[in-house]
Amino acid sequence: MQRRTITILGGGFSGSMLLVQLANLPGGPYPFDVHLVEPRPAPGPGLAYSARRQEYLLNVRTTALSAFPNQPDHFARWVAATDSPPCEQQFCSRQVYGRYLQELVSTVLTQPATNGLRFFWHQDSAVAATLTPDGRAATVRLASGTALPSDQVVLALGNFPPLPPAGPDQAYLTHSTYHGNPWAPGALRNIAPQDSVLLIGSGLTAVDVLLGLDADGHTGPVTVVSRNGRWPAEHGPAGLSYPNFYAADLAGMSTVGEVLRAVRHRIREAAAQGIDWRPVLDSLRPSLGKIWAAWPLAEQARFLRHLASIWSVVRHRSPPQNTAAVQGMLDAGIVRMQLGRVRQTVPQGPDLAVQVQQQGQARWLTARHVISCTGPLLDYGRIDSALVTSLREAGLLVPDALRLGMQTNAHGALMDARGQASGVLFTLGPSRRPAYFESTAVPELRQQAAALAQHLAGDWVVE
């Protein structure tokens, strides 16, 4: 049988997990060649887990970070078997997790898979993916000029850097002390210990930046501008649980208000029994996609307007040691919170002046360094990478109405401008937020990877 080709564009967490899940498909032999396109020096960690800083901790405990859904202790056993530093309260560093992912991918790339798949890595970037005239295959073109004929192409593009804050003057974008992407290599290294710093946003990225500054010996004043004034909630003790109540209480509910009232009722009941709110919310994790999908578009938009920022605070939590460290900075007066929304940023000599608006009133804050911690760009109508732009202009990639990602079917196949599901182009990871909303954390993404691997294999197993 002629071998088929699957090309995965992106070797961060999502693309790497798909690679690993394909290599571990049972049965076979599968007549597939799998090409991974990833420009970084080592596929696996991606941007999220490649930072070489021990102070950047994962915000999920080791027990939930296995690459394999059916082997929940795989990562914990790997940590115990290696010379990795201890994971305090089961929260490992991002760097340690990056090593784990890199080792998994390296093993797949260097050792033949027992199920017959062959794997190849291209240290390159994809600039286009063009369908053949019959629409049954595609050619992926790389920046180097290489062409990869492919039967299926998977977009595992991860997160894109946030858009810069709005404003009429864009001169600050090239200012040496504006940091538009705090995850870029060496992004914070030019900040002197006494320099004043302003962070835009107060989520998990801001917490990591504060910890990085503290590890570098920074003692200058830090202002955190936040629209809601909330830090990520702290993780509770490990091992607490609560029974999933989706089927009993939430199935069939089609409005945000109904779901919110039912969840609040459960939280009050749990509190009366001495049970914290965290396990109540955590019990719904397997059902979050169904809750989101049951809401019509108008209700999803209502959730995004009124509750998404609060949900992010309570759902995406911070390790207790991180919370304690940030509180220590607040208590010492090194860090202060400023409520409001950034409206513009203007160079002012070696500094940057930032206009912050709150309740109709504006004020200017000045700092030597400004760091954007606002989260990734999700709107595929505004992402300007060559690959995304070419697919969008060809009508093969359609942003969803809420600008959360791409329109896909249940298997992650891209929906084109005519509303037809592709048999060639697929995606997984943050790009699937329109289907699940929760599509960024390890437990959800590894499940997507396992399901997509099985779907791509389809009926092509040789008996």
Side-chain angles (χ1 to χ4, degrees):
M1 179 178 291
Q2 182 178 358
R3 297 187 70 85
R4 295 174 62 84
T5 298
I6 299 171
T7 300
I8 304 171
L9 305 183
F13 182 82
S14 297
S16 297
M17 281 302 94
L18 178 57
L19 188 87
V20 170
Q21 296 299 337
L22 285 167
N24 284 273
L25 283 172
Y30 295 92
F32 293 147
D33 289 339
V34 181
H35 294 261
L36 179 68
V37 179
E38 170 54 54
R40 296 185 181 92
L47 186 62
Y49 307 116
S50 58
R52 297 185 178 277
R53 305 191 66 120
Q54 286 295 331
E55 62 272 13
Y56 287 175
L57 299 182
L58 297 159
N59 66 315
V60 179
R61 287 187 168 93
T62 56
T63 51
L65 291 171
S66 168
F68 305 100
N70 60 348
Q71 299 179 51
D73 64 342
H74 189 270
F75 174 57
R77 287 190 286 107
W78 180 89
V79 171
T82 62
D83 60 352
S84 301
C87 302
E88 182 184 350
Q89 300 182 60
Q90 297 184 35
F91 291 100
C92 292
S93 72
R94 291 176 177 270
Q95 185 180 18
V96 167
Y97 197 59
R99 285 176 50 210
Y100 169 68
L101 298 176
Q102 184 175 335
E103 184 175 304
L104 288 174
V105 174
S106 176
T107 300
V108 171
L109 293 174
T110 57
Q111 298 180 10
T114 58
N115 59 12
L117 275 78
R118 300 187 306 202
F119 297 90
F120 308 89
W121 168 38
H122 303 264
Q123 191 177 355
D124 208 336
S125 300
V127 296
T130 307
L131 291 184
T132 56
D134 62 6
R136 297 183 178 180
T139 298
V140 174
R141 300 198 178 277
L142 307 184
S144 63
T146 300
L148 297 176
S150 308
D151 294 287
Q152 277 94 28
V153 178
V154 180
L155 308 181
L157 306 180
N159 287 314
F160 289 84
L163 287 175
D169 187 346
Q170 300 288 294
Y172 71 92
L173 294 176
T174 57
H175 198 279
S176 62
T177 63
Y178 175 73
H179 308 270
N181 181 7
W183 298 107
L188 311 181
R189 296 302 186 187
N190 67 333
I191 300 177
Q194 301 298 325
D195 285 349
S196 57
V197 176
L198 185 145
L199 309 186
I200 305 173
S202 59
L204 290 169
T205 297
V207 171
D208 281 344
V209 169
L210 290 175
L211 294 172
L213 291 172
D214 183 62
D216 289 342
H218 184 265
T219 57
V222 180
T223 301
V224 178
V225 178
S226 171
R227 286 182 289 176
N228 56 33
R230 299 184 180 94
W231 298 100
E234 179 182 337
H235 273 287
L240 300 179
S241 63
Y242 189 85
N244 182 293
F245 55 96
Y246 171 78
D249 294 11
L250 307 180
M253 289 186 175
S254 59
T255 70
V256 175
E258 289 176 308
V259 173
L260 184 60
R261 285 189 292 272
V263 171
R264 282 176 168 170
H265 176 71
R266 283 284 187 162
I267 289 175
R268 288 194 296 269
E269 281 190 341
Q273 301 170 36
I275 300 173
D276 186 65
W277 59 268
R278 293 169 181 82
V280 178
L281 292 186
D282 292 344
S283 73
L284 292 175
R285 186 162 188 166
S287 308
L288 292 176
K290 290 183 287 188
I291 295 171
W292 173 258
W295 291 337
L297 190 65
E299 288 297 308
Q300 292 178 346
R302 181 173 289 111
F303 173 83
L304 294 176
R305 285 195 306 272
H306 301 295
L307 291 176
S309 62
I310 297 174
W311 174 251
S312 181
V313 167
V314 300
R315 169 69 183 81
H316 302 286
R317 301 172 204 145
S318 190
Q321 52 268 53
N322 285 6
T323 300
V326 172
Q327 188 60 52
M329 298 177 203
L330 291 166
D331 293 342
I334 297 172
V335 176
R336 66 186 180 96
M337 178 78 76
Q338 171 69 51
L339 287 175
R341 184 191 298 265
V342 171
R343 289 303 185 188
Q344 58 179 313
T345 303
V346 179
Q348 197 171 80
D351 298 331
L352 291 165
V354 177
Q355 187 187 52
V356 178
Q357 187 174 44
Q358 182 193 13
Q359 297 180 345
Q361 298 201 351
R363 62 177 300 195
W364 287 89
L365 305 175
T366 302
R368 177 58 52 90
H369 295 265
V370 173
I371 306 173
S372 177
C373 305
T374 55
L377 172 61
L378 307 171
D379 183 357
Y380 272 80
R382 304 177 74 178
I383 291 169
D384 61 0
S385 81
L387 173 66
V388 171
T389 299
S390 66
L391 290 171
R392 191 173 59 224
E393 292 178 348
L396 301 175
L397 184 160
V398 180
D400 71 297
L402 297 176
R403 303 294 173 166
L404 294 175
M406 307 178 193
Q407 290 188 22
T408 65
N409 73 357
H411 297 295
L414 270 61
M415 307 295 292
D416 65 18
R418 299 171 300 167
Q420 300 296 313
S422 176
V424 177
L425 302 173
F426 295 82
T427 190
L428 79 165
S431 55
R432 297 207 65 194
R433 287 194 75 186
Y436 301 110
F437 186 70
E438 288 287 336
S439 191
T440 56
V442 169
E444 285 76 28
L445 298 190
R446 69 186 179 191
Q447 195 62 51
Q448 283 185 34
L452 183 55
Q454 294 174 359
H455 178 73
L456 293 176
D459 298 325
W460 290 98
V461 60
V462 178
E463 299 295 345

